[in-house]
Structure formats: structure tokens, C-alpha cells
Amino acid sequence: MSNYQMIAAAALNKPLAMEIGYARVFFSALGLRLGAESLVDAQGQEISRDGMKAVADSYVHPVTGEYRHYEIVDGVAVLPIHGALAHKTGNVRPKSGLQGYDGITTMLNQALSDPDVKGIYLDNHTPGGTVYGAFDTADAIRRANAIKPVWAIANDMNCSAGQLLAAAAGRRLVTQTGTVGSIGVVVAHADYEKHLEAAGIKITLLHSGSHKVEGNPYQALPKDVAARWQAEIDETRLQFASKVAEYTGLSLQAVLDTEAATYSGQSAVQIGLADELVHSADGVAMLAEHCRNLSKTLTIGNTSMSVANPAAAAATQSAAPAATAQTAAPAAEATTEQTLAVTTTETAASAELVVTLCADAGMSDQIANLVKAKLTEAGVKARLSALGGVRDALAAAGLGHAFTEVSAKIDDPAGMLQVALTHATAHSEDKEVAGQRAVNAAQPKQPDPKSAYSDPSRL
């Protein structure tokens, strides 16, 4: 008996607790393997064999031929982030109440390279998890938002490490019963010393190195160890709060003042940890509409741009000084926020200081440009920070080769975006061509009824 016959025996003629959208995909894929000619849903709608294949193909990545680990709804990849979060679980999707950061980044990267995905939606229901892996995953989400719009929803919870991930998204939604926050750190220590003593058990730990057995559960936690751990916890909380402040635009003090409290619904919006209160059924459609209204969304460093027409954006920017706010606003087809400029009467940074700052940032190729710009020390640092964001975003998108050309237009955000989009489009086309060539050259790897649905774990 094949695996598919065993799956059919377990799935057919029995009640299943399965989301209706995925049920359609599940039975389409299973039906193809069992030779079914059509599929009839609960509403009596018949799906032909070609229709079944089309439905099942929706879970196959068009470039790599691998299985998609997310559902696409109206151009939006819905990434489930459910359960406790942990480092390197080896599973892409949530399993037994546990989600791996490695699984989240795998889904994220797959969605970024998927030409059918216009936006990424983080569907969060998590109380948080380990610090290990959390910060790098949050940074990956932030970088992804520079390539495609990434939104997150507390549906109905993103707390602690989950809040860190949600904060990194470009827009944060919350349901009326959704809970966010808990920006703090906790460490638990178990002390079985008296219990073991009462049981007549004595455990001796032989060790080399005075710190080797710190925190063991067989003795009370020494005060000096507790103090050192507390300092480490406070440092981690500060790092956590700093990231949330950086991502959300809140002040660091405002984040720290939450004292790891949680907030629900409208309170989360009022405190600044969520941008909008929504119904859980509406969030994906809102992001889909947002993507339709934008040809691209680019967020680099402290610069945020939403552009429906890059050429119009460039024209609008150049014409802006000659237009009043009242006449320019209705005609503008693009919105630009530029916060990198430094307006000050301070003395420009010396050439020697510029050289040092550029070298420390690993961008010595920017020395000439920054010396010529005659920025203050603060201005140079801000510019390097922005350029670092550009470099990271381009690298994450596989466009590192475009950094020199893109960075040359750092004073012209619309022009910078246009150059980035040109390279991104060419890169996407190259990947699609390469992917198609790879498929044509290796037919056994091409998604078809014999291979695309041969992984039972996807059913």
C-alpha cells in the first residue's frame, strides 16, 4: 500500500479539523495522486482535474519548484507564526506548539524570491520564546520590508520575542482581543537543594573553572551569580527595547517605561506598539490593497518611500521647492519622508574624521563623497547609517553589486529608488530565466503530478 492510499484511508469519509482553503489544496493534491477526475466541494462546486492541478500548483514555488511553505491570498504570502518560539527546530511550519526562528526565516526568504508574492503578512499568535535567534530573525524581517511590504498582526498575540518580530514589520495590526508587549526578559532557576537534603540525597559536582557549575539546580543560587545574571538580563532587556524603539519610532524611554506590561486591542494602538485596530478577517485584504496601490515600497535606514510612479516621484521632488503645499499635495503621485538631512551651524567634520568614520563602517569607498558633502560629524554618522541600511537591504535581495550605483543617489531618494527598482527587476527576470532553464535541463525536478506532490509531509 502506498503512502497516498494510507493518507486517503485516514482522510476520506472521516471528519477533519482543517482550514477550508488548505483543505481544497490538500484534497486536490491527494486526488491527483489517486487518479481522481474531479473534486466537488461542500457548496457543490466541481473542480476538474486541470483545476485540481492548478489549486495544488499554488503551493509550488514557480522559480525553484520547491513547495511553498505559506498560502498566497490575493498576492499576499501569509506566514503563520504560532506557538512558542525557539532557535533551530529544523521545522518550517509550527509543530506541536513550537515554531523555529529558522522556519520563519525560511518562509520569509522563500516569499521574497517568489514573483507571485507582492506582500508578506505575519500572522502572529505567540507568547514569545528564546532570545537565541530572535534578534537576527527580527533584523531579517526588517530587511525583508525593504524589498516587499511586510505587515504583522497580533492574531491574537505577539508578546515578548513575538513583539520583537512584529515590531520589525513595516506595519503592525492588532485585533480587538489581541495582546502585545511584554518587552522584558525572564530567567528561571530551579533550586532543589532542600528537597534533596530532605530526601537524603547529596550531589557533588566535580568541576574545573569557578564558573562551570553556576546556576546548577542542586544548590541555592549564590548572590554574586544572581547579581551577574541580573546584569545580563538588564542588558538583554535594553537591547530588546532599543530594537523595538528603532523599529517603531518610539523613544527608548517610552519602551522601557512599559516595564514589560502587555496591552490589548485599542490600548496597544494608544501606547504605540500597534498602528491600527482591525478585524482579523480584514488584515490580509488590507495589505493586498496596499500592494496594489504601490508599484514598490522601499524603506532604507531612516528613509521611507511609497512610490506609485517612480518617474512622477522624481518630478515631484524636483518641482517641490517651487510649489506650495496646497498645490503640490493633490498632484503628487508619491510620498517621501526624508529624515537623513542634517541642518546645523556646526563645523563640517574634518577629512581625517570622515576617513576614520568610513573605515569603521567598512565603507571607505564613500570617503570622497562624504568629504565633498561637508557634513557635520553627526551628519556623516547618519549618512553612513543610512548607507549601511541600503547595503544590507540590497545584499538581502541579492543586489549587492548595485550598491555603488544606488548609494551615489543617496541625496535623491526618488532617483535612488528608481535605480534600485531597475536592478531588482533585472535580477528578478534573471532568476526566473535561470530557474526555467534549470527546470528544462532537469525534467525530473519539474513540478508535475509525479513529483510535485510526492512529499506526504506537505499534505
Side-chain angles (χ1 to χ4, degrees), residues 71-221:
E71 181 183 6
I72 298 179
V73 180
D74 201 8
V76 173
V78 181
L79 277 55
I81 301 179
H82 301 163
L85 305 175
H87 194 34
K88 296 184 178 180
T89 67
N91 297 310
V92 176
R93 297 293 292 269
K95 186 174 182 180
S96 301
L98 190 68
Q99 174 110 39
Y101 293 119
D102 51 344
I104 295 171
T105 54
T106 294
M107 289 190 292
L108 190 67
N109 291 332
Q110 192 179 50
L112 286 176
S113 66
D114 192 334
D116 293 336
V117 172
K118 308 306 178 186
I120 300 172
Y121 190 77
L122 309 181
D123 182 26
N124 296 326
H125 187 56
T126 171
T130 68
V131 169
Y132 297 128
F135 288 96
D136 283 350
T137 304
D139 284 342
I141 292 171
R142 195 61 170 181
R143 291 175 180 178
N145 186 62
I147 304 168
K148 296 181 179 181
V150 180
W151 289 16
I153 183 172
N155 184 27
D156 267 346
M157 175 183 289
N158 51 244
C159 289
S160 201
Q163 174 63 58
L164 176 62
L165 302 189
R171 188 165 181 79
R172 294 158 290 277
L173 310 178
V174 62
T175 63
Q176 56 189 322
T177 55
T179 303
V180 307
S182 190
I183 305 170
V185 184
V186 61
V187 172
H189 174 260
D191 176 7
Y192 294 100
E193 184 175 25
K194 291 185 179 180
H195 175 74
L196 293 172
E197 183 180 344
I201 300 173
K202 183 176 182 180
I203 295 178
T204 301
L205 297 174
L206 302 178
H207 62 284
S208 178
S210 60
H211 299 299
K212 187 64 179 177
V213 297
E214 284 183 351
N216 75 80
Y218 311 122
Q219 59 184 198
L221 192 65

Side-chain angles (χ1 to χ4, degrees), residues 108-109 111-114 117-120 139-150 291 295-300 305 389-399 417 420-421 424-425 427-428:
L108 190 67
N109 291 332
L112 286 176
S113 66
D114 192 334
V117 172
K118 308 306 178 186
I120 300 172
D139 284 342
I141 292 171
R142 195 61 170 181
R143 291 175 180 178
N145 186 62
I147 304 168
K148 296 181 179 181
V150 180
C291 293
S295 59
K296 291 287 180 178
T297 295
L298 184 69
T299 302
I300 300 176
M305 296 187 66
V390 173
R391 180 179 58 187
D392 291 345
L394 292 173
L399 301 173
L417 177 61
L421 294 184
T425 301
H427 180 64
S428 177

Side-chain angles (χ1 to χ4, degrees), residues 234-293:
D234 291 341
E235 182 178 352
T236 303
R237 179 198 173 209
L238 181 60
Q239 182 183 4
F240 183 0
S242 297
K243 282 289 186 183
V244 173
E246 174 189 346
Y247 294 150
T248 63
L250 294 170
S251 70
L252 175 58
Q253 191 58 52
V255 177
L256 290 172
D257 285 346
T258 66
E259 291 293 345
T262 59
Y263 304 86
S264 297
Q266 187 60 37
S267 296
V269 177
Q270 292 172 348
I271 202 69
L273 295 179
D275 298 311
E276 187 174 358
L277 183 70
V278 302
H279 191 285
S280 60
D282 298 335
V284 174
M286 291 168 61
L287 176 53
E289 180 65 20
H290 173 78
C291 293
R292 281 192 291 269
N293 291 336

Side-chain angles (χ1 to χ4, degrees), residues 340-356:
L340 295 179
V342 178
T343 303
T344 179
T345 57
E346 297 178 17
T347 305
S350 66
E352 292 78 8
L353 180 57
V354 171
V355 170
T356 300

